[in-house]
Amino acid sequence: MPELPEVETVKRGLNKLIIGKVIASVRADNPKSFPNAEHDVRNFLIGSHVTEVRRRAKVLLIDLSTNYTLVIHLKMTGQLVFVNKNLVDSKSYMVDGERPTTNYQIPPTANEVRYGGGHPTDSLIGSLPDKSTRVIFQFSDDSHLFFNDQRKFGWVRLMPTAEVPNIDFMKRVGPEPLEADFTATEFATRFKRRAKTSIKAALLDQSVVAGVGNIYADEALWGAKIHPATKVGDLPNSKFHLLYSELRSVLNLSIEKGGSTNRNYVNAEGKKGSYMEFARVFRREGLDCPRCGTEIIKIRVAGRGTHICPACQQLGK
DNA sequence: CACTTGACCTGTCCGC
DNA sequence: TGCGGACAGGTCAAGT
């Protein structure tokens, strides 16, 4: 689901919406959705306030005044949606403000939470909580942050801020592609150790470069006129430089458009991103390549659905 | 070690 | 309408 631009959009939204808010309670639909020890929740989450929201790769980091951090991965269908107090009927579900529990039922009925048009585009969120709601954070002003995840691949963890860099994913993950000091030369160098795999698999490998997923891999490869199945070792240096600039421009454009929404993704206000209106190949099979007019096709590379222009992106060219 | 495949889940869409 | 299978924006563990 959310890739770098989507998580970045959520991060920016939350930084406008929840900084300084005090966490009054937390509830989960299932212990697996928020498996922290109750001791940590009681002592370092409840009563803390949000100091900053950060992003690393596709991971969201919500820093708390207790020097603890909520670490959140949205995976394929996760959403993190803030709902203001005036949109929540607090009587629609029970809140335990004193002793948080990680094992309670989220009631099936809820208040209406509707968002109107504007940009980004319309909301996908009807009312919250809904059947995909996994965790609810309630703030002291009675506003709420909902973690929804239809497929249950996502996760939320609470841990000391100082330990975040030590989790396995953080130790392995590669550099941020949009950092100013990340150069085309370093980009090319990092691919060299994956010489025998496809360029698409290498782009999706978070240890090479952080934050790239299926959408922006396809979009950037189209921009650089590279067939996704091309072996990394077969690519000339000039193609790496081209791919580097295409990737950065695609990611930047998507952030500007508030990310991509195929089905599930929404920003922190529950609204869709509009990048898909600007996509050149992703999910555009059967339509014309915007560069040469050839019909875009969908193939399978690295176990993932992959969209290419068969004329612009040829193996061995 | 490098690389690929299946598993984790729920929902939707497509063909029969 | 119903049912089976494939597929969906990500990442691991286990396989070759």
Side-chain angles (χ1 to χ4, degrees), chain A residues 41-65:
Chain A
V41 172
R42 194 166 54 242
N43 292 301
F44 300 102
L45 181 65
I46 305 305
S48 71
H49 65 263
V50 177
T51 58
E52 188 179 2
V53 183
R54 296 178 289 141
R55 178 190 62 76
R56 178 73 174 103
K58 301 170 191 170
V59 177
L60 269 170
L61 304 166
I62 302 180
D63 291 332
L64 305 169
S65 54

Side-chain angles (χ1 to χ4, degrees), chain A residues 235-259:
Chain A
L235 279 171
N237 251 340
S238 60
K239 281 292 189 187
F240 282 109
H241 283 247
L242 192 53
L243 184 58
Y244 163 87
S245 58
E246 289 295 328
L247 178 63
R248 296 201 352 153
S249 65
V250 159
L251 294 175
N252 277 320
L253 174 63
S254 184
I255 291 170
E256 185 185 313
K257 302 302 176 188

Side-chain angles (χ1 to χ4, degrees), chain A residues 93-300:
Chain A
Y93 55 93
M94 208 178 76
V95 173
D96 175 0
E98 302 209 357
R99 277 180 47 93
T101 169
T102 56
N103 188 11
Y104 62 89
Q105 291 294 310
I106 292 170
T109 59
N111 43 292
E112 283 287 301
V113 181
R114 298 233 171 255
Y115 294 90
H119 176 83
T121 53
D122 290 346
S123 171
L124 277 179
I125 303 291
S127 60
L128 291 175
D130 63 22
K131 61 194 291 191
S132 74
T133 300
R134 307 295 165 214
V135 186
I136 303 172
F137 299 93
Q138 182 194 28
F139 298 108
S140 60
D141 64 358
D142 209 29
S143 57
H144 294 70
L145 186 63
F146 292 90
F147 174 65
N148 304 324
D149 186 16
Q150 180 182 97
R151 289 174 75 178
K152 302 184 182 178
F153 290 169
W155 44 261
V156 180
R157 299 283 185 284
L158 178 68
M159 67 176 66
T161 306
E163 285 180 19
V164 171
N166 298 329
I167 60 182
D168 287 346
F169 179 87
M170 291 299 182
K171 284 195 284 195
R172 272 201 317 271
V173 71
E176 289 290 328
L178 296 182
E179 285 290 299
D181 59 358
F182 182 59
T183 63
T185 303
E186 183 184 358
F187 179 84
T189 302
R190 295 192 66 84
F191 281 89
K192 298 289 157 83
R193 60 198 168 93
R194 305 298 309 273
K196 289 185 70 178
T197 196
S198 66
I199 185 64
K200 171 137 183 185
L203 269 173
L204 295 175
D205 182 343
Q206 301 297 292
S207 74
V208 176
V209 178
V212 183
N214 210 33
I215 298 175
Y216 305 106
D218 283 6
E219 293 287 293
L221 288 166
W222 178 89
K225 300 187 185 179
I226 298 169
H227 191 290
T230 308
K231 300 294 181 216
V232 172
D234 293 341
L235 279 171
N237 251 340
S238 60
K239 281 292 189 187
F240 282 109
H241 283 247
L242 192 53
L243 184 58
Y244 163 87
S245 58
E246 289 295 328
L247 178 63
R248 296 201 352 153
S249 65
V250 159
L251 294 175
N252 277 320
L253 174 63
S254 184
I255 291 170
E256 185 185 313
K257 302 302 176 188
S260 300
T261 297
N262 275 327
R263 327 172 27 152
N264 293 284
Y265 167 77
V266 291
N267 68 16
E269 296 177 87
K271 295 176 184 171
K272 301 176 188 176
S274 69
Y275 176 83
M276 287 302 286
E277 297 170 25
F278 303 85
R280 285 88 47 96
V281 283
F282 191 79
R283 294 241 168 136
R284 291 179 53 80
E285 61 269 31
L287 301 174
D288 291 346
C289 169
R291 190 164 43 209
C292 75
T294 304
E295 187 174 309
I296 292 162
I297 60 172
K298 185 174 180 183
I299 60 177
R300 205 149 188 94

